[in-house]
Amino acid sequence: MPAIINTSHLILISDGIPTPSGAGISQTLANLLDAYPGSITCICTADENTEAYADRLPAGIARYETGPWKSWSNRIGALLNTYFAGKQMQWMMDNPLALTGLPSPGDSLVMVSTTVAHKLLVAWQLLQQGYTVVPYFMDDWMAGNTLQWQHKKQRYSIQKIVKELLSHAPAWLMISEELQNTLSKRYQLQPKPCLVVHNPAKPVDDAEWQQEPTGIHNKDSYPIVYAGSIWPMHAEALIAVAAAVHLLHSKGMAGFELHVYANPSHWAQYQKMLGGPGVQYMGWKPYAEIHQWLQQGWLLLCTASFEEAHLSFSRSSVQTKLTDYMTVRKPILFVGPAESASGRFVETWDCGFTISTNNAADIAERLQAITRMPQQYLRKSINAGIEASTTFSKAEVQQKLYAFLEKI
């Protein structure tokens, strides 16, 4: 357990109440903050469901209003939601933020880690009230965002809000050095003290995981396991891996398989593009159980899109699943652009193989080549386990984060 640190009350602004059973930001924040040595208050909207997960982070809740302008989840909404979002931001700035029960600015610290525009605005409003706000960006969702609105004859935008949060923060938290450098350059900011923070690896308790890897795998079976959400920033490269498995099966190499553990709605959306020989949908598994299913894999798959529309995500985000994968001491297979932050992570820690093409035939060829690399497979398995139990262990990551926040 991390040493107890005299840390201020933490006011957390995120996409929801953090929970290990969530995805991305939610899961990472739950794993980072479940041993926080102070009290936590989560800022939520008036209508936000805070009881969706029984294992959510224990925290107080303060709520705020977002006004009458709501997004629509239909085809008309796709055309009008940007307009609605601007009107919502304008309404929130025209109506002073009213949050009851928050400690004073001198007794607390605000951490904002969100991809929701109006939650970023709440962080900015707290900054105006004298609170110290530390941003924790986990990807570059702001890139190319053109959301603007009017307030008291002044023009505001998401870009202005992000710049002011970064420029007034005493320090930053980032998911990668790539993202830190990108934001410093875009907003023309001098570097601040910055801690790169990843999702901590799950502690290894199961005696089965203590077995030494051998570098030898069943030569008749090569299951590639993908676990997690399938968002557009993942899908295109995942589809390419599925196509490679289909191709290998067409050539009589039925040992290669792709097992997908994902939310049923995500699978339903991409089933027609992923389904085929050798690809199996394995359902959704609770976070507490997923590691035993990962253990059955030959390679553990992480993907990032090659498409221009998603390159800002690919280049900046180190995906949560990487440290979860490292826990089970199986090599990671990363498929995505060469400049991806997740791919660089895999290469830096030598914990897996990277493929920087979405050509199915090339991926199929590389998969066959990996089967002929038992020494490399063994080395990467061992490295994954070592780093998961040291550099990225929960105790180590939490201790560094809490100490960094305490200095602020």
Side-chain angles (χ1 to χ4, degrees):
M1 291 290 293
I4 297 299
I5 296 170
N6 183 21
T7 308
S8 300
H9 184 101
L10 186 66
I11 300 171
L12 182 64
I13 304 174
S14 189
D15 292 358
I17 303 287
T19 169
S21 299
I25 289 177
S26 181
Q27 187 181 103
T28 296
L29 290 175
N31 290 334
L32 288 173
L33 297 174
D34 65 6
Y36 186 74
S39 53
I40 300 175
T41 297
C42 291
I43 306 292
C44 303
T45 64
D47 56 358
E48 193 168 322
N49 181 6
T50 59
E51 304 298 330
Y53 295 99
D55 60 350
R56 70 176 180 83
L57 189 73
I61 298 172
R63 297 185 181 272
Y64 67 97
E65 296 288 344
T66 58
W69 300 93
K70 310 292 184 183
S71 61
W72 294 356
S73 57
N74 55 25
R75 285 182 294 178
I76 297 177
L79 300 174
L80 297 179
N81 281 342
T82 299
Y83 171 78
F84 292 157
K87 298 298 288 185
Q88 181 181 63
M89 302 290 268
Q90 181 177 342
W91 184 93
M92 289 177 62
M93 290 189 72
D94 289 342
N95 294 269
L97 180 67
L99 289 166
T100 58
L102 289 187
S104 66
D107 297 324
S108 57
L109 179 70
V110 178
M111 179 194 294
V112 55
S113 185
T114 184
T115 58
V116 179
H118 59 75
K119 294 203 170 189
L120 206 64
L121 180 59
V122 170
W124 181 86
Q125 290 175 309
L126 288 175
L127 178 66
Q128 310 311 305
Q129 295 179 12
Y131 285 88
T132 299
V133 179
V134 177
Y136 179 18
F137 286 111
M138 295 196 198
D139 59 51
D140 190 11
W141 65 271
M142 309 82 64
N145 190 301
T146 59
L147 180 61
Q148 297 184 31
W149 62 95
Q150 196 82 12
H151 174 64
K152 293 183 178 179
K153 298 183 179 180
Q154 292 188 48
R155 201 71 177 164
Y156 288 83
S157 68
I158 280 293
Q159 300 303 330
K160 177 180 173 67
I161 296 297
V162 171
K163 182 173 182 177
E164 291 198 8
L165 286 173
L166 289 170
S167 62
H168 286 90
W172 302 337
L173 301 171
M174 296 283 172
I175 199 66
S176 68
E177 291 183 5
E178 290 87 351
L179 183 56
Q180 176 190 356
N181 294 334
T182 294
L183 298 185
S184 295
K185 183 177 179 180
R186 177 185 302 150
Y187 299 110
Q188 299 179 319
L189 300 172
Q190 293 297 317
K192 297 281 186 85
C194 183
L195 180 66
V196 174
V197 187
H198 300 301
N199 177 55
K202 181 181 173 69
V204 177
D205 298 321
D206 192 329
E208 176 185 347
W209 296 359
Q210 303 289 353
Q211 297 176 5
E212 289 297 324
T214 64
I216 300 173
H217 192 83
N218 184 344
K219 294 182 179 180
D220 297 324
S221 178
Y222 298 101
I224 302 164
V225 174
Y226 180 90
S229 301
I230 309 175
W231 297 112
M233 66 282 292
H234 312 129
E236 176 237 355
L238 179 59
I239 292 166
V241 175
V245 171
H246 300 161
L247 180 60
L248 289 166
H249 271 244
S250 72
K251 295 182 177 180
M253 289 173 275
F256 290 93
E257 297 180 346
L258 174 61
H259 296 176
V260 178
Y261 294 89
N263 184 293
S265 64
H266 287 197
W267 173 255
Q269 182 177 357
Y270 291 102
Q271 180 177 1
K272 290 183 179 179
M273 291 169 277
L274 292 170
V279 177
Q280 300 180 43
Y281 174 58
M282 310 298 286
W284 178 86
K285 304 294 181 184
Y287 183 70
E289 300 176 12
I290 191 60
H291 293 82
Q292 69 187 42
W293 300 98
L294 295 176
Q295 188 70 21
Q296 299 177 13
W298 166 57
L299 298 174
L300 306 180
L301 179 62
C302 176
T303 62
S305 177
F306 293 83
E307 294 179 355
E308 183 68 31
H310 305 301
L311 284 183
S312 60
F313 292 90
S314 298
R315 289 169 176 159
S316 65
S317 183
V318 174
Q319 295 181 38
T320 299
K321 60 169 57 70
L322 291 177
T323 46
D324 281 326
Y325 283 174
M326 293 169 75
T327 297
V328 300
R329 300 168 64 178
K330 294 291 182 75
I332 295 164
L333 174 65
F334 174 77
V335 179
E339 65 270 30
S340 296
S342 290
R344 289 176 180 166
F345 178 95
V346 171
E347 292 174 349
T348 297
W349 299 105
D350 193 21
C351 58
F353 303 90
T354 59
I355 300 177
S356 56
T357 177
N358 58 357
N359 181 279
D362 291 341
I363 295 172
E365 185 176 329
R366 184 67 191 280
L367 291 175
Q368 293 174 77
I370 294 172
T371 67
R372 300 187 292 270
M373 299 178 179
Q375 292 182 338
Q376 293 92 326
Y377 184 96
L378 173 60
R379 185 185 74 242
K380 295 173 189 297
S381 298
I382 293 173
N383 288 345
I386 290 173
E387 299 303 336
S389 60
T390 55
T391 307
F392 301 108
S393 70
K394 199 167 192 178
E396 181 72 11
V397 174
Q398 287 182 335
Q399 175 68 17
K400 286 182 178 179
L401 173 62
Y402 301 165
F404 188 78
L405 296 178
E406 192 273 336
K407 288 180 182 179
I408 299 172

